[in-house]
Structures are given as C-alpha cells and as structure tokens.
Amino acid sequence: MSIPPEPRGPRAHDTSSGDGGEPSSSRAWLRAIGAAAIAFTFVMMVTSDLCAGGGGGRLVGEHARPFASPVVGGAGAIDGDRIDLEALHGRVVVLDFWASWCPPCRASVPSLDAFARAHPDVTIVGINVEGNRDDAFVRDAHARLGGSYPTVHDRDGSLQAAYGISALPTLFVVDPRGTIVQSHVGAVDEGWLEAHVPSNSP
C-alpha cells in the first residue's frame, strides 16, 4: 500500500452571481464557508491518520527487504551515490519513511541528523514517499528540514509496499545481519534513538 500524495483542498470557486458581476447572496457565502470547513476537516483527518498509529511492527525479526535506489538528497546526492541495502550488511542501518507535509516527519529529521552526526558508524537513510513530487523537491525539502544524511525517493511506492507502510513516519532499525530489530511509528527524538539503535562500535 502506498501513502497517497498530500491532501489538497478544493479549488476556489467564482462567487459572483452571474448577473453583471453583482456579489453572490449570503446563502452562497454560507455554502462556500461550509464546504471549506468540510474540506479542512477531511484534510486534517487524512493527515492525522497517515501521521499516527499503525503498521511496521509485524516486520520485526524478519530480514529487511532489499533495495538499491539513487540518493536524491543529503550526503552522496551530488556524487550520484546509491543506497544498496544488501551492501550495507555488517552495519546498523536506520530506515525512516517520511513526507515533507507530515508534521511528525518534519520533527524527526533534526533528531535523526544529530544522531547520524554523533554516530557515524550507523547509516541513517531517509525514504521519501511523495510520489507526486520530483527529486529536486525532495532534495530541497530534506535540506530545509535539516537533513544531511542520505535520502532516497520512493516515487513509485514499491518500498512502501515492501515494508507495509500505512502511517508516517515509520522507522526501522536493521542490525548488521540485515534483520529488522526495531520499528517505530511517529516522531522520534535523540533519546529514543540512543535507547533503541545499537552501535557498530565495540
């Protein structure tokens, strides 16, 4: 299942009456306000559902789904690097599924970046799920949020499907053998990462 693109409200409608440009009636205004309120409520419900609860835990104890994707933002993007999960065996890897429109995702990026800087032996990989955006948008959004670790772009939704993503952010911790040992849905801080992400260092 892939996360749908950022919900967008209805386009503004012409509120003129059509009788020579006179203002519409108060009843039309009330209908417009009501429609806007319903649209806002829908957007908040959808965003809330996607940014909280659900998914991920069932994969703990299983082998992480392999993938090889180009880095579109953060370290390695300029050099055209790729993230090959199989090639990272022997290292602890953190996979963070995120979107720029998701508040808990945005809150997590600075903590993930600080953890990555403090633990260079751990590989942090962002996986952006915004299929309706291009790579340049993802690169810029990642940078604006303070991410310097690499992020890839799951534009076709294949990684979301492979990892059963139904809420954002969803994070997985993969041990050096390639086994998923932790999962977490929702924002993370450095305290959670320090407590749940093992180190490669002796």
Side-chain angles (χ1 to χ4, degrees), residues 1 3-5 7 45-53 101-102 166-169:
M1 170 182 176
I3 300 296
M45 288 175 62
V46 170
T47 303
S48 175
D49 286 345
L50 295 178
C51 290
W101 50 263
C102 171
S166 60
L168 295 174

Side-chain angles (χ1 to χ4, degrees), residues 94-99 104-105 108-109 112 124-129 149 151-152 168-172 184 186 188:
V94 175
L95 304 176
D96 181 58
F97 286 82
W98 69 283
C105 301
S108 294
V109 172
L112 288 162
I124 308 288
V125 179
I127 302 175
N128 181 276
V129 303
Y149 55 88
T151 193
V152 303
L168 295 174
T170 295
L171 177 147
F172 297 96
H184 181 80
V188 294

Side-chain angles (χ1 to χ4, degrees), residues 2-8 50 98-101 128-138 153-157 160 168:
S2 63
I3 300 296
E6 174 186 3
R8 299 183 185 276
L50 295 178
W98 69 283
S100 64
W101 50 263
N128 181 276
V129 303
E130 294 173 87
N132 61 328
R133 299 294 192 176
D134 60 20
D135 291 349
F137 175 90
V138 174
H153 191 188
D154 183 32
R155 197 167 184 177
D156 65 359
Q160 297 165 72
L168 295 174

Side-chain angles (χ1 to χ4, degrees), residues 41-169:
T41 301
F42 173 76
V43 168
M44 294 303 296
M45 288 175 62
V46 170
T47 303
S48 175
D49 286 345
L50 295 178
C51 290
R58 65 180 179 80
L59 295 181
V60 172
E62 296 187 14
H63 192 79
R65 283 32 174 175
F67 66 89
S69 300
V71 176
V72 301
I78 294 177
D79 299 325
D81 289 352
R82 294 177 65 83
I83 295 293
D84 184 342
L85 193 60
E86 292 289 304
L88 291 173
H89 278 190
R91 292 180 61 85
V92 173
V93 179
V94 175
L95 304 176
D96 181 58
F97 286 82
W98 69 283
S100 64
W101 50 263
C102 171
C105 301
R106 296 197 297 266
S108 294
V109 172
S111 296
L112 288 162
D113 197 76
F115 186 84
R117 293 176 184 275
H119 300 273
D121 56 309
V122 176
T123 299
I124 308 288
V125 179
I127 302 175
N128 181 276
V129 303
E130 294 173 87
N132 61 328
R133 299 294 192 176
D134 60 20
D135 291 349
F137 175 90
V138 174
R139 178 195 65 225
D140 294 344
H142 187 59
R144 285 197 306 272
L145 294 173
S148 62
Y149 55 88
T151 193
V152 303
H153 191 188
D154 183 32
R155 197 167 184 177
D156 65 359
S158 59
L159 291 180
Q160 297 165 72
Y163 281 83
I165 303 302
S166 60
L168 295 174

